[in-house]
């Protein structure tokens, strides 16, 4: 499974409504282990994207299915179908208008994070049955926790 480390926040700055940073990383291996985060692609080693007021302007017609998870829903994963590529307009860290053509995993990560800005979780793309199963699992986990 490969995923993303992202931070989402709002800003009191008048021209910045919403933003997040994205760095694609491997978050667990095929055996369910949790290795230290590492870049997905060699070329992505130093890439961290800070997207302020991101807007997806175009989606590809071609779709891909990748496994997604989220810290909002601990230890829950599901295969989600999304457009393979997307074209995003945003403001960068220096306040400059930028555009990026995101492909594959990066495209999925950016779409996932923009969904968060819109109040959407990856489970919202699942069937009612699959979504309710995950919610039920999370309810059991929550009820077994001790609050100190």
């Amino acid at each position: 499974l490969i995923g993303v480390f992202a931070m989402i926040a709002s800003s009191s700055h008048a021209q910045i409504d919403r933003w997040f940073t994205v760095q694609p990383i491997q978050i667990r291996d095929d055996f369910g282990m949790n290795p230290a985060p590492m870049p997905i692609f060699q070329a992505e080693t130093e890439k961290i994207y800070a997207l302020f007021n991101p807007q997806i302007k175009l989606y590809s017609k071609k779709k891909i299915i990748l496994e997604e998870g989220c810290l909002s829903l601990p230890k829950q994963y599901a295969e989600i179908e999304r457009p393979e590529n997307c074209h995003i307009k945003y403001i960068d860290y220096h306040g400059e208008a930028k555009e990026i053509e995101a492909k594959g995993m990066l495209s999925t990560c950016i779409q996932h994070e923009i969904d968060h800005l819109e109040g959407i979780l990856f489970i919202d793309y699942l069937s009612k049955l699959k979504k309710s199963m995950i919610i039920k699992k999370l309810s059991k986990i929550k009820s077994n926790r001790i609050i100190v």
Side-chain angles (χ1 to χ4, degrees), residues 41 64 66 83-86 102-109 111:
F41 308 109
I64 57 171
L66 294 173
E84 183 174 32
N85 305 322
C86 62
K103 300 177 181 184
M105 175 58 70
L106 180 60
S107 174
T108 295
C109 292
Q111 290 174 65

Side-chain angles (χ1 to χ4, degrees), residues 113-132:
E113 296 309 324
I114 289 175
D115 278 352
H116 276 298
L117 296 173
E118 302 295 332
I120 299 168
L121 297 173
F122 76 91
I123 61 170
D124 294 328
Y125 292 99
L126 298 174
S127 68
K128 286 183 181 182
L129 176 62
K130 287 182 181 179
K131 182 177 178 178
S132 66

Side-chain angles (χ1 to χ4, degrees), residues 46-59:
E46 300 300 322
K47 294 245 181 172
I48 297 178
Y49 299 90
L51 292 86
F52 296 85
N53 295 346
Q55 297 177 340
I56 297 179
K57 293 298 186 180
L58 185 65
Y59 293 98

Side-chain angles (χ1 to χ4, degrees), residues 5 7 26 41 59 74 79-80 87 108 110 134 136:
F5 170 77
M7 180 176 77
Q26 178 176 335
F41 308 109
Y59 293 98
E79 290 187 340
I80 305 296
H87 185 88
T108 295
I110 289 173
I134 287 176
K136 191 173 183 178

Side-chain angles (χ1 to χ4, degrees), residues 4 13 16 18 31 44 63 91 94-95 131 139 148:
V4 65
H13 190 282
I16 297 175
R18 51 201 200 137
F31 303 104
E44 297 292 324
K63 308 279 187 179
I91 298 170
H94 303 288
K131 182 177 178 178
S139 296
V148 185

